[in-house]
Amino acid sequence: MTSPLLRIASYNIRKAMGTDRRRDPDRVLRVISDLGADVVALQEADLRLPPRRPVFLRQEIYERTGLVPVSFEHGRESLGWHGNALLVSPGFEVIERHHQDLPGLEPRGLVSALLARDDQRLRVVGVHLGLLRQSRRQQLSALLEMIPPGEDIPTLIAGDFNERSLEVGLGRLAKRFRILSGGPTYHARRPVFALDRIAISDQFAAGEASVFTSFDASRASDHLPLVADVSLEGIPGSPAPEGE
């Protein structure tokens, strides 16, 4: 028996700087609202320079999208960590949250949250991998180390993987996850590269990804959002919740 569909989205919002060179957080929030997602992983959600303030206020996110930002204990004003943030439906309980740095030549990191709703739980990880393939491989190894093999918790990894190829570069992730690519997400004005991906663990019974397009989405950021509708296998006794 499978659970109802769950909509996950990944969106590199480029600090709300649009393809028209206008920084417009309201436009980004309109796009996020239009996604109709239960969980959204954002990248570049904070400004680059210290104190790395968020692009928009937490209350503003909820008022405009109906989603709640997951809070991380890092002592910053930032919405997330290294620009990664998670927005979730109020129907979810956040059981655990985690943020960490990732190795590589550029400053990179990830955020994760263990969520519960009804009789199921799942982990969502948000990432923005590096520009160099060697760094990305190191980052994927570090990411996989935090997810014990054989764990029963359904896990999603969503983000800007920065990998142009659909055949190489993500092999170590593909050994444990099904990687969904709904098509080219970059550049938003004329998409050519499928940089944004959503990876799902074996506990998911189904998963289909697609690129979200709209007038606002083509201008709000240099990336288009990626959405995936997934469902979970019924797991008795569950607590509430590409080749190299």
Side-chain angles (χ1 to χ4, degrees):
M1 179 177 180
T2 59
S3 64
L5 287 177
L6 181 71
R7 173 159 286 197
I8 307 296
S10 180
Y11 190 15
N12 184 331
I13 64 172
R14 198 194 184 193
K15 298 175 281 294
M17 181 62 70
T19 56
D20 54 5
R21 301 191 179 184
R22 292 174 49 234
R23 193 182 302 278
D24 190 344
D26 287 342
R27 180 169 55 186
V28 173
L29 289 174
R30 287 200 301 271
V31 175
I32 293 173
S33 179
D34 290 343
L35 299 177
D38 300 286
V39 179
V40 180
L42 297 179
Q43 302 87 49
E44 299 194 28
D46 302 311
L47 300 179
R48 183 177 297 275
L49 297 177
R52 300 211 65 171
R53 292 188 174 90
V55 171
F56 16 63
L57 301 176
R58 294 175 182 274
Q59 185 61 26
E60 184 180 27
I61 295 172
Y62 177 71
E63 290 173 352
R64 298 290 301 279
T65 70
L67 299 173
V68 179
V70 176
S71 297
F72 297 94
E73 297 179 356
H74 45 49
R76 298 179 179 178
E77 295 182 47
S78 307
L79 194 63
W81 188 247
H82 287 291
N84 297 291
L86 295 175
L87 313 179
V88 303
S89 165
F92 285 105
E93 176 189 359
V94 180
I95 300 175
E96 297 176 2
R97 63 204 77 200
H98 174 71
H99 68 278
Q100 72 178 56
D101 293 335
L102 291 174
L105 294 179
E106 314 156 72
R108 298 284 175 172
L110 65 79
V111 292
S112 69
L114 181 60
L115 307 176
R117 187 171 70 176
D118 299 328
D119 61 345
Q120 292 173 324
R121 64 167 56 180
L122 70 151
R123 177 190 289 111
V124 179
V125 181
V127 296
H128 187 184
L129 301 183
L131 296 174
L132 300 177
R133 182 171 287 166
Q134 181 178 358
S135 292
R136 291 196 293 273
R137 286 171 171 161
Q138 294 173 348
Q139 291 156 7
L140 288 173
S141 293
L143 187 160
L144 290 169
E145 285 178 4
M146 64 166 275
I147 306 172
E151 185 180 62
D152 289 336
I153 298 174
T155 298
L156 292 146
I157 303 169
D160 179 355
F161 284 21
N162 259 322
E163 178 57 70
R164 297 185 177 190
S165 174
L166 295 176
E167 298 182 359
V168 300
L170 301 177
R172 62 200 63 201
L173 182 63
K175 291 176 182 177
R176 290 175 54 187
F177 290 82
R178 178 184 170 198
I179 303 174
L180 308 178
S181 171
T185 53
Y186 182 88
H187 187 279
R189 288 280 191 170
R190 186 174 294 178
V192 176
F193 299 113
L195 300 186
D196 303 275
R197 316 280 178 90
I198 295 174
I200 59 177
S201 62
D202 291 341
Q203 291 92 341
F204 288 91
E208 295 296 334
S210 61
V211 178
F212 179 86
T213 58
S214 70
F215 179 84
D216 277 339
S218 68
R219 289 159 176 77
S221 170
D222 57 350
H223 285 245
L224 293 170
L226 181 70
V227 298
D229 293 313
V230 300
S231 63
L232 285 167
E233 292 279 9
I235 303 175
S238 289
E242 304 165 339
E244 193 93 37

